[in-house]
Amino acid sequence: MPAREAEPFPRAVLDVLAAAADRPVFEHGTRVVTGGDLLDLIARIANGFRRKGLGPGDGVALLLGVTVEAFATILAAHAVGARVVGVRPGLTDDQVRHLLGLDIKLVVEDADLTGLRQNSPASLLCDGRPDDIARLIHTSGSTSAPKACAQTYTSMTNAWAARPEAWPPAIRELARRLDRYLVFGSLSSQVMFEYAVITLTAGGVVVVADDPADAITRHEATARVITVPALAKLVARSPDLPTLRALLVSGSPLTVERHREALEVLGPVVFHGYGQTETGMISMATPSDPPGTVGTPPVDVEIRDGEIYVRTPAQACCYWGNPEESAEVFVDGWVRTRDLGHLDAGGHLHLTGRARDVVIVNANLHHAGPIEQVLAEHPDVAEAYVVAVPDDDTGEAVHAFVVPRRDREPALTELRVLVTARLGAACAPVRVTAIAEPPLAPSGKPDKRKLS
């Protein structure tokens, strides 16, 4: 007889929970949830979705906090084969409206979960169709129309998070340290969600931290995600963290000095990951890898004219509704990262810059173009050019160079109010410099590399 085809995502995760029937898998305050409890919750919510007519190919938007029910709802939506759009906190009203307009059949908020969980638990079937889009993850909050990475059910089924036999060496090492993994912020975060799946698969407990400050100590956590600025602050405090075994550094590259200092102060607990919404994880440095690298990639990597191209089992297929940018980034089965880097003789990947014109604020990508367009709408601004500057609190921040209109230099406060209202506070400039004209490249185009 021919081999039985594997059921689509989230079957592998559901199998993990079934095997953990009597074992604690989630903890939120005094509440402890076993694998069997979570599986029952997923089945009830999935049945509720089906009763509402949600099925394969239908869009569902999730505006949820960080709870056991939120995690169950994500898996239940995938079980019925829906196209899941997670709406993270901090977006402007216009951005939320855009995401809710992506052919959405059902919108689910925290208040809806009480009713959904009251359904009887039906059989947990996985109805995702291979070529259907399983989820849309928006890459940026810097424009009213964020790009949405479209990942198929085949791609999510091929992902290795819930399949230990497919774990690359760095993930196998990490998995041994995920006894108590903190989740906070938003489960619509690809990083937050997928490390939670690895934790469950590795036999650990996902611990909800309502407030991430000092959560490692309060919850006796062994692992958490952390941004580079937050890591720098933690290192400066040099705290005693006896339970900590893994800090998952995400969002922006660590310099050699920052990386080495973190290892010296905190011990061998720093795992420095490199990935993109478009690709999933590309590479990860373990504590034994050279500082300043992001480890040895377990996926296909090519360096083309200094730019990194990758091919991963779980990569997205396109940007939803954006064929122009899709054609630029998704090229013949490869993903053009628009990051610059090189591989050393030992196969370690070094990141050296970005080909993209972006600012990374608190590990979120914000494109400079939309910010420049909004700034140029101010009556005192003729032209605007945005660059990223280092920031101790957010990693990077926006520095705007403006050509004043009629010699009227605009006020920083006015520009911040304008940008915040349109694009959100993360895009607002922290500094504005008036210039007579921008420097030019030999081509005659403005050369923002010369602005500083």
Side-chain angles (χ1 to χ4, degrees):
M1 294 180 62
R4 180 174 172 269
E5 189 172 331
E7 281 193 67
F9 184 87
R11 172 52 60 195
V13 184
L14 303 182
D15 289 345
V16 166
L17 296 175
D22 300 319
R23 174 176 68 77
V25 296
F26 248 90
E27 183 180 301
H28 190 176
T30 59
R31 182 185 180 192
V32 177
V33 176
T34 67
D37 295 334
L38 184 52
L39 207 57
D40 178 78
L41 185 57
I42 296 167
R44 290 176 184 274
I45 296 173
N47 192 21
F49 280 150
R50 290 191 173 97
R51 286 176 178 271
K52 289 180 178 292
L54 193 72
D58 292 330
V60 57
L62 306 181
L63 291 80
L64 304 175
V66 182
T67 63
V68 176
E69 284 76 15
F71 187 81
T73 301
I74 295 170
L75 293 173
H78 285 302
V80 304
R83 173 173 26 86
V84 179
V85 180
V87 182
R88 62 177 174 81
L91 298 180
T92 67
D93 291 343
D94 284 345
Q95 291 164 345
V96 172
R97 277 193 291 271
H98 169 76
L99 293 174
L100 298 187
L102 296 177
D103 191 17
I104 298 299
K105 183 173 184 177
L106 183 66
V107 176
V108 181
E109 301 185 63
D110 287 306
D112 302 317
L113 299 184
T114 300
L116 281 170
R117 65 178 298 173
Q118 299 305 316
N119 288 274
S120 58
S123 298
L124 260 179
L125 305 175
C126 295
D127 296 335
R129 299 178 300 210
D131 295 332
D132 277 355
I133 301 302
R135 67 178 174 185
L136 299 178
I137 304 179
H138 52 281
T139 62
S140 169
S142 61
T143 167
S144 60
K147 289 184 300 183
C149 284
Q151 194 175 10
T152 65
Y153 271 95
T154 292
S155 177
M156 292 196 72
T157 302
N158 290 339
W160 40 257
R163 299 188 298 118
E165 73 280 1
W167 285 348
I171 296 301
R172 288 201 299 270
E173 181 173 344
L174 172 65
R176 293 192 289 269
R177 305 174 184 227
L178 296 176
D179 301 322
R180 294 175 60 79
Y181 165 67
L182 291 175
V183 290
F184 52 89
S186 173
L187 288 173
S188 65
S189 159
Q190 184 179 25
V191 170
M192 199 67 67
F193 179 81
E194 291 184 356
Y195 284 133
V197 171
I198 297 170
T199 297
L200 299 178
T201 307
V205 179
V206 176
V207 181
V208 177
D210 292 319
D211 180 0
D214 298 318
I216 295 171
T217 301
R218 281 186 288 109
H219 296 286
E220 297 183 337
T222 64
R224 65 158 286 179
V225 174
I226 194 167
T227 63
V228 171
L231 176 67
K233 292 179 180 179
L234 185 67
V235 169
R237 285 168 40 210
S238 188
D240 181 24
L241 301 170
T243 64
L244 181 64
R245 301 181 64 200
L247 278 175
L248 306 166
V249 183
S250 178
S252 53
L254 273 172
T255 64
V256 175
E257 294 76 15
R258 287 283 195 196
H259 200 161
R260 184 177 292 118
E261 181 185 30
L263 289 167
E264 290 172 353
V265 172
L266 301 173
V269 299
V270 179
F271 287 76
H272 186 19
Y274 168 54
Q276 295 186 341
T277 309
E278 293 87 342
T279 64
M281 193 194 85
I282 296 171
S283 191
M284 175 179 284
T286 69
S288 59
D289 282 312
T293 76
V294 288
T296 306
V299 299
D300 295 332
V301 171
E302 287 186 359
I303 310 298
R304 306 179 186 177
D305 297 324
E307 190 171 344
I308 302 169
Y309 284 68
V310 302
R311 187 167 54 191
T312 76
Q315 69 191 37
C317 61
C318 64
Y319 296 125
W320 181 267
N322 193 336
E324 293 80 11
E325 290 214 53
S326 295
E328 181 181 344
V329 171
F330 300 94
V331 182
D332 298 328
W334 291 80
V335 178
R336 179 188 177 193
T337 68
R338 292 180 285 193
D339 288 327
L340 306 176
H342 67 272
L343 293 164
D344 64 24
H348 295 93
L349 182 60
H350 299 249
L351 303 178
T352 56
R354 295 195 301 274
R356 297 169 293 179
D357 192 7
V358 299
V359 184
I360 299 178
V361 182
N362 282 325
N364 290 310
L365 217 67
H366 301 274
H367 289 269
I371 305 174
E372 292 168 346
Q373 292 168 16
V374 171
L375 289 169
E377 293 177 10
H378 189 281
D380 295 340
V381 175
E383 300 171 39
Y385 303 92
V386 162
V387 300
V389 292
D391 187 277
D392 289 339
D393 292 325
T394 60
E396 289 183 352
V398 172
H399 182 181
F401 291 82
V402 300
V403 178
R405 191 185 301 274
R406 297 182 297 276
D407 296 324
R408 294 177 56 185
E409 186 170 338
L412 172 61
T413 53
E414 292 182 12
L415 295 180
R416 286 185 57 81
V417 168
L418 175 65
V419 174
T420 298
R422 292 284 298 280
L423 303 177
C427 296
V430 298
R431 193 183 312 159
V432 173
T433 301
I435 56 176
E437 60 182 17
L440 300 180
S443 63
K445 296 180 180 180
D447 188 353
K448 293 202 295 186
R449 292 174 298 179
K450 296 178 181 178
L451 292 172
S452 59

